[in-house]
């Protein structure tokens, strides 16, 4: 079993920054990938960023160059640094991994970008 707990969401003005954190209940060293997804109201959940065990990363086109995903294995934590935020980034952000061949999701953290 593994649980994921996100934090760091909130209300921010356009152009601002936030850093989301996702803490896992067990070591993430062996997790092949960890990812951030988001779901805006009335829309489907979409992949935002993913980090692989070898260090490679990939991003949605809409956040490329503005968001950075990173992992700290010693703290069992994955981060999402979000800069130059836009109103269209408003969504619930979820942390995700695959454990024992099953998707594991956190409870989500709300990010609202508004003036």
């Amino acid at each position: 079993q593994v649980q994921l707990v996100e934090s760091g969401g909130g209300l921010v003005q356009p152009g601002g920054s936030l850093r989301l954190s996702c803490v896992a209940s067990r070591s993430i060293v062996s997790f092949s990938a960890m990812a951030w997804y988001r779901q805006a109201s009335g829309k489907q959940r979409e992949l935002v960023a993913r980090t692989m065990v070898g260090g490679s990363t990939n991003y949605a086109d809409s956040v490329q160059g503005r968001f950075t995903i990173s992992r700290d294995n010693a703290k069992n934590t994955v981060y999402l640094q979000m800069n130059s935020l836009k109103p269209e980034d408003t969504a619930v952000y979820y942390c995700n991994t695959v454990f024992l061949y099953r998707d594991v999701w956190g409870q989500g953290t709300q990010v609202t970008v508004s003036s």
Side-chain angles (χ1 to χ4, degrees), residues 10-31:
L11 173 64
V12 63
Q13 292 187 343
S17 298
L18 282 175
R19 189 177 79 157
L20 305 183
S21 299
C22 169
V23 181
S25 60
R26 60 185 295 152
S27 173
I28 65 172
V29 171
S30 62
F31 290 0

Side-chain angles (χ1 to χ4, degrees), residues 28 70-79:
I28 65 172
S70 61
R71 60 196 291 172
D72 186 336
N73 290 336
K75 295 182 179 180
N76 300 336
T77 301
V78 176
Y79 302 99

